[in-house]
PDB file of all heavy atoms in Angstrom:
ATOM      1  N   ARG A 218       6.408 -19.272   7.532  1.00 98.00           N
ATOM      2  CA  ARG A 218       5.682 -18.393   6.612  1.00 98.00           C
ATOM      3  C   ARG A 218       5.760 -16.960   7.077  1.00 98.00           C
ATOM      4  O   ARG A 218       6.056 -16.664   8.257  1.00 98.00           O
ATOM      5  CB  ARG A 218       4.242 -18.850   6.440  1.00 98.00           C
ATOM      6  CG  ARG A 218       3.396 -19.087   7.694  1.00 98.00           C
ATOM      7  CD  ARG A 218       3.167 -17.914   8.500  1.00 98.00           C
ATOM      8  NE  ARG A 218       1.984 -17.945   9.341  1.00 98.00           N
ATOM      9  CZ  ARG A 218       1.572 -16.900  10.058  1.00 98.00           C
ATOM     10  NH1 ARG A 218       2.278 -15.795  10.115  1.00 98.00           N
ATOM     11  NH2 ARG A 218       0.499 -16.976  10.798  1.00 98.00           N
ATOM     12  N   ALA A 220       2.994 -13.721   6.641  1.00 98.00           N
ATOM     13  CA  ALA A 220       1.595 -13.621   6.210  1.00 98.00           C
ATOM     14  C   ALA A 220       1.081 -12.187   6.334  1.00 98.00           C
ATOM     15  O   ALA A 220       0.214 -11.901   7.155  1.00 98.00           O
ATOM     16  CB  ALA A 220       0.738 -14.575   7.042  1.00 98.00           C
ATOM     17  N   PRO A 221       1.620 -11.273   5.531  1.00 98.00           N
ATOM     18  CA  PRO A 221       1.203  -9.870   5.684  1.00 98.00           C
ATOM     19  C   PRO A 221      -0.191  -9.587   5.125  1.00 98.00           C
ATOM     20  O   PRO A 221      -0.623 -10.215   4.162  1.00 98.00           O
ATOM     21  CB  PRO A 221       2.250  -9.108   4.859  1.00 98.00           C
ATOM     22  CG  PRO A 221       2.681 -10.094   3.806  1.00 98.00           C
ATOM     23  CD  PRO A 221       2.617 -11.443   4.461  1.00 98.00           C
ATOM     24  N   SER A 222      -0.874  -8.640   5.743  1.00 97.00           N
ATOM     25  CA  SER A 222      -2.122  -8.108   5.189  1.00 97.00           C
ATOM     26  C   SER A 222      -1.726  -6.901   4.338  1.00 97.00           C
ATOM     27  O   SER A 222      -0.934  -6.065   4.782  1.00 97.00           O
ATOM     28  CB  SER A 222      -3.046  -7.634   6.301  1.00 97.00           C
ATOM     29  OG  SER A 222      -3.263  -8.687   7.211  1.00 97.00           O
ATOM     30  N   ARG A 252       2.241 -15.721   2.252  1.00 98.00           N
ATOM     31  CA  ARG A 252       0.784 -15.742   2.047  1.00 98.00           C
ATOM     32  C   ARG A 252       0.245 -14.313   2.213  1.00 98.00           C
ATOM     33  O   ARG A 252       0.549 -13.659   3.221  1.00 98.00           O
ATOM     34  CB  ARG A 252       0.130 -16.659   3.084  1.00 98.00           C
ATOM     35  CG  ARG A 252      -1.380 -16.755   2.915  1.00 98.00           C
ATOM     36  CD  ARG A 252      -2.002 -17.761   3.859  1.00 98.00           C
ATOM     37  NE  ARG A 252      -1.981 -17.342   5.237  1.00 98.00           N
ATOM     38  CZ  ARG A 252      -1.438 -18.031   6.253  1.00 98.00           C
ATOM     39  NH1 ARG A 252      -0.868 -19.215   6.058  1.00 98.00           N
ATOM     40  NH2 ARG A 252      -1.473 -17.557   7.485  1.00 98.00           N
ATOM     41  N   GLU A 254      -2.610 -11.953   3.126  1.00 98.00           N
ATOM     42  CA  GLU A 254      -3.853 -12.067   3.901  1.00 98.00           C
ATOM     43  C   GLU A 254      -4.801 -10.926   3.520  1.00 98.00           C
ATOM     44  O   GLU A 254      -4.937  -9.926   4.237  1.00 98.00           O
ATOM     45  CB  GLU A 254      -3.523 -12.085   5.398  1.00 98.00           C
ATOM     46  CG  GLU A 254      -2.598 -13.249   5.731  1.00 98.00           C
ATOM     47  CD  GLU A 254      -2.830 -13.856   7.093  1.00 98.00           C
ATOM     48  OE1 GLU A 254      -3.018 -13.115   8.055  1.00 98.00           O
ATOM     49  OE2 GLU A 254      -2.809 -15.108   7.187  1.00 98.00           O
ATOM     50  N   TYR A 400      -9.999 -12.877  10.427  1.00 97.00           N
ATOM     51  CA  TYR A 400      -8.596 -13.291  10.540  1.00 97.00           C
ATOM     52  C   TYR A 400      -8.420 -14.595  11.311  1.00 97.00           C
ATOM     53  O   TYR A 400      -7.723 -15.506  10.866  1.00 97.00           O
ATOM     54  CB  TYR A 400      -7.809 -12.142  11.205  1.00 97.00           C
ATOM     55  CG  TYR A 400      -6.496 -12.563  11.808  1.00 97.00           C
ATOM     56  CD1 TYR A 400      -5.444 -12.974  10.996  1.00 97.00           C
ATOM     57  CD2 TYR A 400      -6.307 -12.578  13.191  1.00 97.00           C
ATOM     58  CE1 TYR A 400      -4.237 -13.382  11.546  1.00 97.00           C
ATOM     59  CE2 TYR A 400      -5.112 -12.979  13.750  1.00 97.00           C
ATOM     60  CZ  TYR A 400      -4.081 -13.381  12.923  1.00 97.00           C
ATOM     61  OH  TYR A 400      -2.906 -13.799  13.473  1.00 97.00           O
ATOM     62  N   VAL A 404      -6.635 -17.559   9.376  1.00 98.00           N
ATOM     63  CA  VAL A 404      -5.218 -17.799   9.668  1.00 98.00           C
ATOM     64  C   VAL A 404      -4.987 -19.236  10.151  1.00 98.00           C
ATOM     65  O   VAL A 404      -4.012 -19.894   9.767  1.00 98.00           O
ATOM     66  CB  VAL A 404      -4.665 -16.742  10.664  1.00 98.00           C
ATOM     67  CG1 VAL A 404      -5.115 -17.012  12.090  1.00 98.00           C
ATOM     68  CG2 VAL A 404      -3.164 -16.652  10.601  1.00 98.00           C
ATOM     69  N   ASP A 408      -2.839 -21.830   8.017  1.00 98.00           N
ATOM     70  CA  ASP A 408      -1.583 -22.355   8.567  1.00 98.00           C
ATOM     71  C   ASP A 408      -1.655 -23.878   8.699  1.00 98.00           C
ATOM     72  O   ASP A 408      -0.678 -24.576   8.445  1.00 98.00           O
ATOM     73  CB  ASP A 408      -1.260 -21.695   9.913  1.00 98.00           C
ATOM     74  CG  ASP A 408      -0.690 -20.287   9.729  1.00 98.00           C
ATOM     75  OD1 ASP A 408      -0.033 -20.050   8.694  1.00 98.00           O
ATOM     76  OD2 ASP A 408      -0.902 -19.434  10.598  1.00 98.00           O
ATOM     77  N   ILE A 416       5.097 -20.655  13.447  1.00 98.00           N
ATOM     78  CA  ILE A 416       4.453 -19.379  13.164  1.00 98.00           C
ATOM     79  C   ILE A 416       5.269 -18.279  13.821  1.00 98.00           C
ATOM     80  O   ILE A 416       5.373 -18.229  15.049  1.00 98.00           O
ATOM     81  CB  ILE A 416       3.003 -19.376  13.687  1.00 98.00           C
ATOM     82  CG1 ILE A 416       2.193 -20.382  12.871  1.00 98.00           C
ATOM     83  CG2 ILE A 416       2.402 -17.976  13.642  1.00 98.00           C
ATOM     84  CD1 ILE A 416       0.743 -20.472  13.233  1.00 98.00           C
ATOM     85  N   ILE A 417       5.877 -17.458  12.990  1.00 98.00           N
ATOM     86  CA  ILE A 417       6.667 -16.341  13.510  1.00 98.00           C
ATOM     87  C   ILE A 417       5.954 -15.069  13.094  1.00 98.00           C
ATOM     88  O   ILE A 417       5.679 -14.860  11.912  1.00 98.00           O
ATOM     89  CB  ILE A 417       8.111 -16.403  12.956  1.00 98.00           C
ATOM     90  CG1 ILE A 417       8.771 -17.692  13.463  1.00 98.00           C
ATOM     91  CG2 ILE A 417       8.890 -15.155  13.337  1.00 98.00           C
ATOM     92  CD1 ILE A 417      10.211 -17.876  13.080  1.00 98.00           C
ATOM     93  N   ARG A 418       5.605 -14.243  14.065  1.00 98.00           N
ATOM     94  CA  ARG A 418       4.855 -13.018  13.760  1.00 98.00           C
ATOM     95  C   ARG A 418       5.042 -12.038  14.909  1.00 98.00           C
ATOM     96  O   ARG A 418       5.616 -12.381  15.950  1.00 98.00           O
ATOM     97  CB  ARG A 418       3.378 -13.357  13.572  1.00 98.00           C
ATOM     98  CG  ARG A 418       2.762 -13.993  14.791  1.00 98.00           C
ATOM     99  CD  ARG A 418       1.354 -14.421  14.528  1.00 98.00           C
ATOM    100  NE  ARG A 418       0.790 -15.096  15.680  1.00 98.00           N
ATOM    101  CZ  ARG A 418      -0.292 -15.868  15.621  1.00 98.00           C
ATOM    102  NH1 ARG A 418      -0.910 -16.066  14.474  1.00 98.00           N
ATOM    103  NH2 ARG A 418      -0.749 -16.440  16.710  1.00 98.00           N
ATOM    104  N   ASP A 421       2.265  -8.206  18.705  1.00 93.00           N
ATOM    105  CA  ASP A 421       0.896  -7.687  18.827  1.00 93.00           C
ATOM    106  C   ASP A 421      -0.140  -8.796  18.666  1.00 93.00           C
ATOM    107  O   ASP A 421      -1.308  -8.601  19.002  1.00 93.00           O
ATOM    108  CB  ASP A 421       0.635  -6.562  17.810  1.00 93.00           C
ATOM    109  CG  ASP A 421       1.020  -6.918  16.390  1.00 93.00           C
ATOM    110  OD1 ASP A 421       1.851  -7.835  16.203  1.00 93.00           O
ATOM    111  OD2 ASP A 421       0.488  -6.294  15.457  1.00 93.00           O
ATOM    112  N   LEU A 422       0.289  -9.963  18.186  1.00 95.00           N
ATOM    113  CA  LEU A 422      -0.665 -11.055  17.981  1.00 95.00           C
ATOM    114  C   LEU A 422      -0.616 -12.120  19.078  1.00 95.00           C
ATOM    115  O   LEU A 422      -1.292 -13.145  18.986  1.00 95.00           O
ATOM    116  CB  LEU A 422      -0.460 -11.674  16.595  1.00 95.00           C
ATOM    117  CG  LEU A 422      -0.942 -10.735  15.468  1.00 95.00           C
ATOM    118  CD1 LEU A 422      -0.446 -11.184  14.110  1.00 95.00           C
ATOM    119  CD2 LEU A 422      -2.457 -10.615  15.467  1.00 95.00           C
ATOM    120  N   GLN A 429      -6.565 -19.171  18.893  1.00 94.00           N
ATOM    121  CA  GLN A 429      -6.170 -19.931  17.698  1.00 94.00           C
ATOM    122  C   GLN A 429      -5.813 -21.366  18.069  1.00 94.00           C
ATOM    123  O   GLN A 429      -6.195 -22.311  17.371  1.00 94.00           O
ATOM    124  CB  GLN A 429      -5.001 -19.245  16.983  1.00 94.00           C
ATOM    125  CG  GLN A 429      -5.424 -17.914  16.362  1.00 94.00           C
ATOM    126  CD  GLN A 429      -4.310 -17.166  15.674  1.00 94.00           C
ATOM    127  OE1 GLN A 429      -3.243 -17.711  15.411  1.00 94.00           O
ATOM    128  NE2 GLN A 429      -4.544 -15.900  15.379  1.00 94.00           N
ATOM    129  N   LYS A 459       1.405   0.224   9.357  1.00 80.00           N
ATOM    130  CA  LYS A 459       1.528   0.112   7.897  1.00 80.00           C
ATOM    131  C   LYS A 459       0.876   1.291   7.171  1.00 80.00           C
ATOM    132  O   LYS A 459       1.275   1.652   6.084  1.00 80.00           O
ATOM    133  CB  LYS A 459       0.838  -1.175   7.418  1.00 80.00           C
ATOM    134  CG  LYS A 459       1.648  -2.432   7.616  1.00 80.00           C
ATOM    135  CD  LYS A 459       1.190  -3.461   6.571  1.00 80.00           C
ATOM    136  CE  LYS A 459       1.476  -4.870   7.015  1.00 80.00           C
ATOM    137  NZ  LYS A 459       0.319  -5.552   7.596  1.00 80.00           N
TER     138      LYS A 459
HETATM  139  N1  LIG B 634      -1.906 -10.742   8.508  1.00 54.37           N
HETATM  140  C1  LIG B 634      -1.446 -10.353   9.803  1.00 54.37           C
HETATM  141  C2  LIG B 634      -0.802  -8.990   9.740  1.00 54.37           C
HETATM  142  O1  LIG B 634      -0.389  -8.541   8.687  1.00 54.37           O
HETATM  143  C3  LIG B 634      -0.439 -11.311  10.375  1.00 54.37           C
HETATM  144  C4  LIG B 634      -1.030 -12.614  10.651  1.00 54.37           C
HETATM  145  C5  LIG B 634      -0.105 -13.641  11.282  1.00 54.37           C
HETATM  146  O2  LIG B 634       1.108 -13.604  11.049  1.00 54.37           O
HETATM  147  O3  LIG B 634      -0.639 -14.505  11.987  1.00 54.37           O
HETATM  148  O4  LIG B 634      -0.715  -8.346  10.767  1.00 54.37           O
END
Side-chain angles (χ1 to χ4, degrees):
R218 52 63 156 186
S222 305
R252 181 175 70 236
E254 301 214 317
Y400 160 68
V404 76
D408 282 330
I416 293 182
I417 297 183
R418 59 185 177 198
D421 50 338
L422 288 166
Q429 292 178 14
K459 281 206 204 99

